[in-house]
């Protein structure tokens, strides 16, 4: 009798707007803040509209109070639904728990009856779990199952640890056996120490993944045994399944794009190899003047770089996640970094290309760039490395080399050598033929200077007080003596020869004829602390 009276009262309240009583009583306020009805950690229903003058929060609060009061009783509770015009009553025993109205489903859509039945099913589960929570036998069984699950979890963890330790113990022996099989001649193909570290880390990673998965399943099982924490355990399983489903869907959706990207990269690899072979044929003598043995390697690299950059641009839309905000942000960051550093980088790279294709200098040549001179050891894209005769290694930016005068002492020589030159100034009272003969004699005494081509002497200037003589010779290619050391030895021999013939060297300045000629006799060449052959020895 009571449920019938309750339904009549509710129907009367619902009909009030039609007879002019409270025109706004049953109008749903879809702008109200939704309120979720949660009992014992289970979400039963979410109210979205104001109904019969009650806001969603008030409806949820009232339903919570009614359900909790009913659950504290000892009567057997039956959950049912009853239609009320376009809405449905959810009854708990003989009391109204809450009402599901069509306005509550305007946001998500759906059938009101289906939503009411789903809410009633969840409420029945709450009623059953409330009874289980007060059942001592059920709780003892839950504790027993949890203890058994904990014991199994610990045994599995211990087994995984023992398996890991056993595999790590056998790993060195397996690596040694495989190292004997994977060889090229007598040389191992892989560094087994490096491979061992990689495999050991992968094994540790696999071990911790297994531990985390076992711990996750143990926690989900234990929480599912108790009524109050059962929703948490079920949500853990749902989250894990959702994660696996998300990963599987992502992998399946990414397979076509990855296949297209791999195909593009394979085509780029084939085109790169074909272009390399074509360039090697074109680099043969008599084909192209600008493509030589020196420019072949950088040309191949530039061509390959252009092909792979084009392939990357083509494959980018097919890469997994290329349309996400993370990829877009990374692209913006890379573009900003390149734009900030492109001015100097592009300038240095362009200067490197100019040096390469103009063949201003190449590896092994002895050059002078500004105040720096030495042997070129590397011509890179951004800078050039020069080793001086004093044991220094200079790194010069390519833009500096292209912007200054470069003297190449190796380009005009015969074979692999370099030019050695020096300047002396001798007074006009010394015959120039004698000076040239003495300079040639000094060059011939210097170990490391070629006899062919013969050293030459040029009169480069007739100054106010003395002529200027420049000695030009070529170093021996087979003896890679540093140019600074060779020049030092040459200067020493020039001084010796001029002292032998009593000729005064006027460098660097001449102000007037001295009272005595400034030259060193042979008997004083080895004056202390100099060491060497004495003047009276043959």
């Amino acid at each position: 009798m009571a449920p019938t009276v309750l339904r009549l009262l509710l129907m009367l309240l619902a009909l009030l707007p039609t007879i002019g009583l409270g025109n706004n009583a049953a109008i749903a306020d879809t702008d109200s803040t939704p309120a979720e009805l949660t009992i014992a950690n289970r979400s039963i229903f979410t109210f979205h509209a104001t109904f019969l003058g009650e806001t969603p929060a008030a409806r949820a609060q009232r339903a919570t109070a009614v359900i909790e009061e009913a659950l504290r009783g000892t009567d057997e509770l039956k959950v049912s639904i009853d239609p009320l015009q376009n809405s449905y009553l959810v009854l708990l025993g003989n009391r109204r728990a809450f009402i599901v109205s069509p306005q509550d489903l305007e946001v998500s859509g759906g059938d009101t009856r289906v939503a009411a039945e789903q809410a009633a099913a969840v409420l029945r589960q709450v009623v059953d779990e409330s009874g289980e929570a007060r059942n001592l036998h059920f709780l003892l069984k839950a504790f027993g199952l949890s203890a058994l699950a904990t014991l199994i979890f610990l045994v599995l963890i211990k087994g995984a640890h023992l398996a890991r330790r056993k595999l790590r113990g056998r790993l060195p022996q397996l690596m040694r056996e495989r190292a004997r099989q994977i060889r090229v001649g007598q040389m191992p193909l892989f560094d087994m120490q490096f491979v061992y570290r990689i495999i050991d880390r992968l094994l540790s990673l696999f071990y911790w993944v297994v531990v985390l998965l076992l711990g996750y399943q143990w926690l989900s099982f234990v929480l599912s045994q108790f009524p109050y924490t059962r929703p948490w355990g079920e949500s853990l399983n749902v989250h894990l399944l959702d994660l696996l489903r998300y990963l599987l869907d992502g992998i399946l959706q990414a397979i076509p794009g990855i296949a297209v990207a791999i195909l593009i990269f394979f085509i780029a690899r084939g085109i790169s190899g074909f272009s390399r072979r074509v360039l090697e044929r074109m680099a043969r003598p008599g084909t192209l003047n600008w493509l030589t043995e020196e420019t072949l390697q950088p040309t191949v690299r530039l061509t390959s770089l252009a092909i792979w950059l084009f392939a990357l641009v083509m494959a980018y839309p097919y890469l997994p996640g290329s349309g996400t905000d993370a990829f877009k942000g990374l692209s913006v960051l890379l573009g900003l970094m390149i734009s900030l550093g492109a001015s100097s980088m592009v300038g240095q790279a362009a200067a490197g290309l100019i040096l390469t294709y103009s063949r201003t200098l190449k590896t092994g040549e002895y050059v002078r760039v500004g105040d720096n001179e030495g042997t070129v050891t590397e011509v890179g894209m951004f800078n050039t490395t020069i080793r001086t005769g004093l044991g220094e290694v200079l790194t010069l930016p390519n833009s500096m080399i292209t912007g200054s005068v470069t003297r190449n002492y190796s380009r005009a020589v015969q074979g692999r050598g370099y030019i050695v030159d020096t300047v002396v100034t001798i007074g006009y009272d010394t015959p120039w033929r004698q000076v040239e003969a003495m300079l040639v004699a000094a060059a011939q005494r210097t170990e490391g200077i070629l006899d062919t081509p013969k050293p030459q002497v040029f009169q480069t200037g007739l100054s106010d007080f003395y002529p200027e003589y420049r000695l030009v010779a070529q170093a021996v290619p087979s003896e890679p003596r540093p140019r600074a050391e060779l020049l030092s030895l040459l200067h020493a021999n020039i001084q010796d020869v001029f002292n032998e013939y009593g000729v005064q060297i006027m460098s660097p300045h001449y102000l007037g004829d001295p009272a005595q000629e400034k030259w060193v006799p042979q008997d004083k060449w080895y004056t202390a602390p100099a060491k060497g052959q004495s003047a009276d020895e043959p």
Side-chain angles (χ1 to χ4, degrees):
M1 187 67 182
T4 305
V5 175
L6 179 61
R7 285 195 294 273
L8 291 175
L9 290 175
L10 292 173
M11 292 176 64
L12 179 62
L13 290 174
L15 292 174
L16 286 177
T18 62
I19 59 177
L21 298 176
N23 292 331
N24 297 326
I27 298 177
D29 185 8
T30 56
D31 294 333
S32 301
T33 303
E36 184 178 12
L37 174 60
T38 303
I39 304 295
N41 294 324
R42 287 199 179 275
S43 177
I44 299 176
F45 188 73
T46 300
F47 301 102
H48 290 86
T50 299
F51 187 77
L52 297 178
E54 290 185 337
T55 62
R59 294 172 65 191
Q61 184 177 4
R62 181 184 180 282
T64 301
V66 171
I67 295 173
E68 289 181 348
E69 182 181 357
L71 292 178
R72 284 194 294 268
T74 58
D75 297 336
E76 183 177 355
L77 299 175
K78 180 181 179 181
V79 180
S80 60
I81 62 173
D82 200 2
L84 177 64
Q85 287 192 341
N86 294 330
S87 303
Y88 283 87
L89 291 171
V90 178
L91 302 175
L92 183 59
N94 295 327
R95 302 183 61 181
R96 181 191 72 171
F98 54 90
I99 299 176
V100 178
S101 67
Q103 291 80 9
D104 291 322
L105 305 177
E106 287 183 356
V107 177
S108 59
D111 184 76
T112 307
R113 179 179 178 83
V114 174
E117 290 177 350
Q118 292 176 351
V122 178
L123 184 57
R124 291 189 192 96
Q125 190 174 2
V126 171
V127 173
D128 295 339
E129 290 176 347
S130 176
E132 293 174 352
R134 291 176 294 192
N135 189 330
L136 180 60
H137 179 268
F138 180 85
L139 293 178
L140 292 177
K141 180 181 178 182
F143 275 111
L145 293 175
S146 300
L148 179 60
T150 304
L151 180 61
I152 295 175
F153 169 70
L154 295 177
V155 171
L156 292 176
I157 293 296
K158 184 66 175 178
H161 179 71
L162 292 177
R164 176 196 176 193
R165 187 170 62 181
K166 186 175 181 180
L167 287 175
R168 292 187 67 181
R170 294 191 58 186
L171 188 59
Q173 181 181 356
L174 294 175
M175 296 290 293
R176 286 193 295 268
E177 293 176 356
R178 295 300 179 185
R180 299 190 188 99
Q181 300 175 3
I182 308 176
R183 288 175 176 271
V184 177
Q186 297 298 325
M187 183 182 67
L189 187 59
F190 300 105
D191 184 1
M192 290 297 109
Q193 187 67 24
F194 178 72
V195 176
Y196 173 79
R197 288 196 297 268
I198 293 179
I199 296 179
D200 183 64
R201 291 180 181 179
L202 291 176
L203 188 62
S204 299
L205 177 62
F206 179 75
Y207 167 76
W208 286 110
V209 169
V210 171
V211 170
L212 290 177
L213 288 177
L214 290 175
Y216 192 94
Q217 289 299 319
W218 169 82
L219 181 62
S220 174
F221 179 82
V222 172
L223 292 177
S224 299
Q225 300 308 307
F226 301 93
Y228 187 78
T229 59
R230 188 174 296 161
W232 298 342
E234 294 173 353
S235 65
L236 288 178
N237 286 328
V238 170
H239 292 330
L240 182 59
L241 292 176
D242 289 342
L243 177 61
L244 294 177
R245 188 181 300 109
Y246 173 77
L247 293 176
L248 183 60
D249 291 342
I251 293 173
L252 293 177
Q253 293 176 4
I255 287 176
I258 293 176
V260 173
I262 292 175
L263 180 61
I264 292 174
F265 288 138
F266 267 109
I267 295 174
R269 180 181 179 184
I271 296 176
S272 178
F274 176 75
S275 65
R276 177 176 56 83
R277 289 189 292 270
V278 170
L279 290 173
E280 288 176 353
R281 292 191 183 97
M282 295 175 65
R284 295 173 182 174
T287 305
L288 292 177
N289 294 330
W290 60 270
L291 191 58
T292 61
E293 183 180 354
E294 294 80 12
T295 59
L296 174 62
Q297 192 64 25
T299 304
V300 170
R301 291 179 180 176
L302 289 174
T303 305
S304 178
L305 177 62
I307 293 172
W308 282 107
L309 286 178
F310 183 76
L312 181 61
V313 172
M314 292 291 294
Y316 177 81
Y318 301 99
L319 296 177
S322 59
T324 61
D325 293 336
F327 251 85
K328 295 178 181 177
L330 181 61
S331 301
V332 172
L333 178 61
L334 291 177
L336 180 62
M337 294 173 61
I338 293 174
S339 62
L340 292 176
S343 57
S344 60
M345 183 182 300
V346 172
Q348 296 292 347
L353 293 177
I354 293 173
L355 289 179
T356 300
Y357 289 99
S358 64
R359 289 176 285 178
T360 303
L361 46 82
K362 61 182 181 180
T363 304
E365 292 182 338
Y366 197 95
V367 298
R368 181 180 182 87
V369 181
D371 296 332
N372 307 298
E373 69 174 43
T375 303
V376 179
T377 58
E378 181 182 1
V379 180
M381 178 174 291
F382 301 104
N383 51 61
T384 298
T385 304
I386 294 177
R387 185 181 68 249
T388 67
L390 302 178
E392 301 171 334
V393 176
L394 307 179
T395 302
L396 306 179
N398 288 334
S399 59
M400 170 187 170
I401 299 176
T402 55
S404 59
V405 177
T406 301
R407 296 183 180 181
N408 196 319
Y409 295 99
S410 302
R411 187 60 57 86
V413 301
Q414 299 177 3
R416 293 181 57 85
Y418 51 85
I419 297 297
V420 178
D421 65 331
T422 187
V423 177
V424 295
T425 54
I426 308 299
Y428 285 104
D429 55 345
T430 304
W432 62 268
R433 295 175 180 84
Q434 182 186 14
V435 175
E436 290 185 2
M438 287 188 294
L439 289 175
V440 171
Q444 292 173 347
R445 288 188 186 183
T446 304
E447 183 181 0
I449 291 182
L450 286 173
D451 294 331
T452 303
K454 185 178 180 180
Q456 292 181 296
V457 179
F458 301 91
Q459 297 188 39
T460 58
L462 299 176
S463 301
D464 292 339
F465 304 102
Y466 43 69
E468 295 180 2
Y469 299 91
R470 178 181 292 272
L471 172 64
V472 180
Q474 181 174 337
V476 177
S478 60
E479 296 184 8
R481 184 190 298 273
R483 188 170 185 270
E485 180 182 349
L486 193 64
L487 277 175
S488 177
L489 184 59
L490 176 61
H491 290 159
N493 289 329
I494 290 175
Q495 294 180 66
D496 289 345
V497 172
F498 276 68
N499 286 328
E500 288 176 3
Y501 292 97
V503 177
Q504 178 180 340
I505 299 177
M506 310 296 290
S507 302
H509 298 289
Y510 178 83
L511 299 177
D513 291 330
Q516 296 180 352
E517 293 183 351
K518 299 299 182 182
W519 63 280
V520 181
Q522 187 173 359
D523 59 350
K524 295 185 179 296
W525 284 2
Y526 299 100
T527 304
K531 297 180 180 180
Q533 186 179 15
S534 61
D536 55 353
E537 293 181 358

